[in-house]
Amino acid sequence: MPTEETLVLVKPDGVARGLTGAILARIEAKGYTIVDLRLIHPDRKHLAQHYAEHEGKPFYEPLIDFMLSGPVVAVRLSGERVIEGFRSLAGKTDPTVSAPGTIRGDYGRDWGTSVQQNLVHGSDSPESAAREIGIWFD
Ligand code: DAT
Ligand code: MG
């Protein structure tokens, strides 16, 4: 079986706060391999593709607007069980209650925008990973 891959995004809050290096250091320290990496300023259409599963939800439009607020760093990662492993490293969606020791738990909190600014995205399944890697690394 080929080694698994996942798509990680350092979201605009992470890039703007200068946390890209700290986040990448945690990924590297965990032992995952960076296969490809790009700084991207995505447009609305690109983000609509990425977040298609959330279209119609109450947080969808604010989420897209937030993701348009600055550049993001897209990272293609590989490693055994990297999908699960990166999500564990990232922590729970809500940064206020993400465990200390996780990326969201250590660097994130509610800044008045609920769980929106949570620093990173990680694919949640092999199917999502394949689809999302195709969107960010064509
Ligand atoms: P995750 O990023 O942990 O996979 P998700 O896929 O359920 O979480 O949601 C995608 C993003 O949408 C999430 O990182 C932040 C935002 N979001 C999710 N639920 C939200 C909510 N209830 N209110 C505001 N933003 C939300
Ligand atoms: Mg998700």
Side-chain angles (χ1 to χ4, degrees), residues 18 28 40 57 99 101 104 110 124:
E28 291 188 310
I40 304 175
K57 294 183 185 172
R104 288 166 169 171
D110 187 342
D124 62 9

Side-chain angles (χ1 to χ4, degrees), residues 8 10 19-34 75 77 82 85-86 88-91 98-108 119-120:
V8 169
V10 181
L19 293 171
T20 304
I23 290 167
L24 293 178
R26 286 167 177 240
I27 289 170
E28 291 188 310
K30 183 84 173 176
Y32 296 130
T33 302
I34 296 173
V75 189
L77 277 190
V82 67
F86 177 75
S88 172
L89 211 53
S98 261
T102 64
I103 294 166
R104 288 166 169 171
D106 284 351
Y107 302 130
L119 297 151
V120 288

